[in-house]
Amino acid sequence: MPVPGWHNAPGMEQIPQHELSRLEAIAGPSQPLEELVARRLGGEPLQYIEGTAAFGPLDLLVDERVLVPRPETEGLFEIAMRMVRNPEVIVDLCTGSGALALALKQAFPSAAVFATDISPDAIEVATANKARNSLDVYVAIGDLFDPLPASLLGEVDLLVVNPPYVSEAEFEGLPEDVKREPRVALVAGPTGLEVVRAVGATAADWLRPGGVLVCEIGETQGIPASLAFAGLPTVVRKDLAGKDRYIVAVKP
């Protein structure tokens, strides 16, 4: 269906109407609709073309350096919000665009929030989003817990993680627009559980008694992921589609 106010661009009929409306909203002399349509048909995620994505109450910059925030990760945020009250220390591993860390900082302004990522590109985007949303979050580059101050051992009230959890074989079958997102943020290794297990090996050491862990996982990973968190009694929670999606634990 043609978008009102625009001449037909080649391939427009292949794009859903709701996406066309969003492309129309950002089209202009410097970004002709025809060019935007061609980018979308070429497999570029819609949010990369728009340059932003909503996450909870926030509007975040997103591009090819970070994953597009997804409803499943908003589900993680919602679980975390229900499980803690006035946390003092929050840690977000594999922060990507900074979505979870920043949304939690806005929800709990008095908390000290720490966000880490192994990707320099992701750290750049998270830092830009921190400034964009005027939120004071400690953002550091490094692998999982490595960049955190040692003083946080045993002091974390809330640990959230959206790790890479796709296997190398699964990556080949992903939709083309998902493959345009950073592979390092998607693929954990041959099994897909490598990063989850690395988090689980020491997560309990960082949590205080009563501290909460919420970790996103792949839909087939419930049982093996639940066994990866040493010293923590874990529960598998489902997403809105009824699929295993989160490991939740409270440190005894």
Side-chain angles (χ1 to χ4, degrees), residues 57-113:
L58 303 178
D59 186 53
L60 301 174
L61 300 171
V62 293
D63 58 28
E64 66 280 353
R65 295 174 292 175
V66 294
L67 293 182
V68 174
R70 287 173 165 77
E72 292 83 359
T73 307
E74 290 207 37
L76 189 162
F77 171 67
E78 291 165 2
I79 290 172
M81 289 288 293
R82 291 195 297 268
M83 293 191 67
V84 296
R85 180 175 295 180
N86 300 322
E88 295 181 7
V89 179
I90 298 172
V91 170
D92 172 24
L93 304 182
C94 309
T95 195
S97 65
L100 284 168
L102 294 168
L104 288 165
K105 179 64 176 180
Q106 185 170 85
F108 303 108
S110 63
V113 181

Side-chain angles (χ1 to χ4, degrees), residues 59-232:
D59 186 53
L60 301 174
L61 300 171
V62 293
D63 58 28
E64 66 280 353
R65 295 174 292 175
V66 294
L67 293 182
V68 174
R70 287 173 165 77
E72 292 83 359
T73 307
E74 290 207 37
L76 189 162
F77 171 67
E78 291 165 2
I79 290 172
M81 289 288 293
R82 291 195 297 268
M83 293 191 67
V84 296
R85 180 175 295 180
N86 300 322
E88 295 181 7
V89 179
I90 298 172
V91 170
D92 172 24
L93 304 182
C94 309
T95 195
S97 65
L100 284 168
L102 294 168
L104 288 165
K105 179 64 176 180
Q106 185 170 85
F108 303 108
S110 63
V113 181
F114 299 80
T116 75
D117 203 291
I118 201 170
S119 163
D121 285 343
I123 291 298
E124 287 181 2
V125 177
T127 301
N129 279 320
K130 167 184 165 179
R132 177 183 177 87
N133 291 278
S134 301
L135 292 167
D136 186 14
V137 170
Y138 173 85
V139 178
I141 187 168
D143 190 20
L144 302 177
F145 298 102
D146 288 352
L148 297 178
S151 60
L152 293 186
L153 274 166
E155 299 296 329
V156 176
D157 297 287
L158 173 62
L159 173 61
V160 294
V161 195
N162 180 19
Y165 54 73
V166 174
S167 72
E168 291 170 355
E170 288 171 334
F171 179 80
E172 299 308 318
L174 293 177
E176 288 305 313
D177 57 347
V178 177
K179 288 184 180 179
R180 294 283 289 269
E181 299 182 61
R183 184 184 173 100
V184 68
L186 291 166
V187 178
T191 71
L193 286 163
E194 287 80 359
V195 181
V196 171
R197 287 174 171 149
V199 172
T202 59
D205 297 336
W206 292 89
L207 291 170
R208 68 163 178 80
V212 172
L213 160 84
V214 189
C215 179
E216 188 171 327
I217 60 169
E219 62 188 65
T220 65
Q221 297 173 345
I223 293 175
S226 69
L227 299 174
F229 291 84
L232 293 175

